[in-house]
Amino acid sequence: MSNAVKIEMAELRMVQLPLLTPFVISTGTMTHKTFPLLILRGDGIEGVAEAVMDPLPDYLEESTAGALDLLRGAFLPKLIGQSITSPADVTGLLAPWRGNRMAKAVVEMAVWDLWAKSLNLPLCRLLGGVRDQVEVGVSLGIAPLDDTLKRIDVAQEAGYRRIKLKIARGHDLGILAGVRARFPDIKLTVDANTDYALSDLSTLQKMDQFDLDYIEQPLAFDDIFDHAKVQKALRTAICLDESIRSAKDARVALEIGATRVINIKVGRVGGFAEARAIHDVCAAFDAPVWCGGMLESGVGRAHNIHLATMANFTKPGDTSSASRYFERDIIHEPLEAVDGLMPVPKGPGIGVTLDYDRLTEVSEVIETWQA
Ligand code: OSB
Ligand code: MG
């Protein structure tokens, strides 16, 4: 695997796709998925990736405006013209700059796709993946109980492997009681997206009665320490999402008992190298991981599916069928789960191809580079 691929061209776009259903979580409501899309070209092939930050910094600190600034002003000028022998080269190129893991991830992920295509291998093969389909569940936004029950019915009918409910203070125990009354046996989890504080410990403890597989990110986005206090007071496992940006974060969180499960999002942690390092740390602690999502288009969705083929992704992920999110995606291939199993797209790289007719309708070119 000692070939090199030269980054000859780059195209940075902003895409805006309407969501079929507004997505409501504790921090706000999303009606559109708006994201930077990076296309790299070299040796007649194309590598693509999408970035996962929101327009405003309401999930983590990064914003699309900040990311575009860095990509245009620093990251891409450094990348263009480079001959890449492995995606690890990119990690080195971006190492001088702190944080901004989502902006770094889009570059690293596009290079992985390009590199895998240059070797004519599916990305999952290069990651050491062990399966050709991945177990998936659904993440359901905050909604009244009757709507939530209907959505669970639809998901159950489709065969999804677990239901994750978004919760918030005041929209928690009542919803859980109503859902458990109708669905006593389904695999159920909740995601608070940071809405609780240590002073809410008694509410969190009451969730023990609902036989949840885990409670995702109850406390602040930048907290690890206090999650350990919550974990010690609960029978239910804590799962960290926002708090885990790196393998070091994962190691610290597992060492102090702040979490028993980790949600890995390759776009949150800086790319596949860090995602793999987190996966390996968790395996060493016997902690399972699962692949989260950020309502990605088919491009990010395909990256996520390849990631989830790795051995320690033993809990169902959030990478459900693209048709649940969008009327028309920006790729040609349908990414549809069958009976809760999402097939890994075949073909080199991430295994999906951009639908430029659609892309033209829903995006604008921000800047292009030529070596
Ligand atoms: O916390 O996992 C999260 C979506 C946007 C921001 C944060 C989160 C989510 C999801 C959606 O849960 C998962 C998906 O269906 O892609
Ligand atoms: Mg989450």
Side-chain angles (χ1 to χ4, degrees), residues 8-334:
E8 290 158 0
M9 279 163 56
E11 182 174 306
L12 184 61
R13 288 176 178 258
M14 274 303 291
V15 186
Q16 185 169 59
L17 276 177
L19 289 170
L20 286 172
T21 317
F23 194 70
V24 184
I25 67 176
S26 65
T27 55
T29 300
M30 277 176 77
T31 59
H32 289 75
K33 175 64 188 173
T34 307
F35 59 95
L37 180 78
L38 178 63
I39 306 167
L40 301 176
R41 298 196 182 96
D43 300 342
I45 46 182
E46 189 173 87
V48 292
E50 71 181 85
V52 300
M53 73 288 296
D54 291 324
L56 292 172
D58 50 17
Y59 168 77
L60 287 175
E61 300 95 328
E62 293 184 70
S63 63
T64 50
L68 290 181
D69 210 44
L70 278 174
L71 289 164
R72 301 168 74 185
F75 298 177
L76 292 171
K78 186 120 176 219
L79 183 75
I80 307 304
Q82 298 278 348
S83 282
I84 301 291
T85 55
S86 115
D89 298 352
V90 179
T91 311
L93 284 177
L94 302 179
W97 295 297
R98 308 291 167 89
N100 293 283
R101 288 174 182 269
M102 293 173 168
K104 288 181 176 178
V106 70
V107 178
E108 202 250 21
M109 292 163 71
V111 168
W112 270 95
D113 182 34
L114 187 72
W115 187 61
K117 284 172 178 157
S118 77
L119 297 168
N120 201 30
L121 288 171
L123 177 54
C124 59
R125 280 277 304 280
L126 294 169
L127 293 172
V130 297
R131 48 183 84 90
D132 56 16
Q133 50 189 2
V134 303
E135 269 201 301
V136 291
V138 293
S139 172
L140 301 179
I142 292 172
L145 179 61
D146 52 346
D147 290 343
T148 299
L149 294 175
K150 280 182 210 144
R151 290 178 191 178
I152 297 175
D153 268 327
V154 172
Q156 287 292 106
E157 199 63 37
Y160 283 108
R161 304 290 168 110
R162 67 97 168 98
I163 306 290
K164 162 170 140 183
L165 298 178
K166 293 293 187 175
I167 57 166
R169 275 186 302 167
H171 179 87
D172 42 31
L173 302 175
I175 270 281
L176 283 169
V179 167
R180 270 300 183 217
R182 259 289 300 284
F183 300 98
D185 299 322
I186 58 172
K187 185 178 279 194
L188 189 63
T189 74
V190 293
D191 187 357
N193 289 107
T194 77
D195 207 43
Y196 294 80
L198 272 185
S199 53
D200 298 309
L201 189 59
S202 67
T203 304
L204 296 169
Q205 282 177 312
K206 290 189 184 109
M207 293 183 196
D208 270 343
Q209 67 188 290
F210 298 114
D211 189 28
L212 303 174
D213 200 39
Y214 49 78
I215 299 172
E216 187 174 342
Q217 195 72 35
L219 307 185
F221 73 94
D222 56 357
D223 172 76
I224 293 176
F225 191 79
D226 283 347
H227 276 98
K229 298 183 193 167
V230 175
Q231 181 64 92
K232 278 173 188 61
L234 261 57
R235 262 186 296 121
T236 311
I238 298 293
C239 169
L240 291 180
D241 173 354
E242 283 90 333
S243 297
I244 305 297
R245 328 285 187 91
S246 66
K248 188 206 171 205
D249 290 340
R251 196 257 303 156
V252 168
L254 290 162
E255 246 182 60
I256 68 168
T259 195
R260 294 183 194 149
V261 181
I262 287 177
N263 167 344
I264 302 182
K265 294 175 180 169
V266 54
R268 179 190 79 223
V269 303
F272 284 102
E274 200 67 31
R276 186 145 64 162
I278 295 172
H279 166 276
D280 293 351
V281 166
C282 291
F285 278 84
D286 270 327
V289 303
W290 56 278
C291 179
M294 294 290 283
L295 315 178
E296 287 94 340
S297 82
V299 171
R301 196 165 298 277
H303 279 279
N304 290 344
I305 297 167
H306 283 271
L307 176 73
T309 63
M310 295 175 63
N312 194 33
F313 282 84
T314 53
K315 288 186 178 293
D318 273 347
T319 314
S320 58
S321 297
S323 61
R324 292 185 62 248
Y325 304 79
F326 311 110
E327 167 103 41
R328 187 175 165 195
D329 204 339
I330 58 168
I331 59 167
H332 289 115
E333 298 76 9

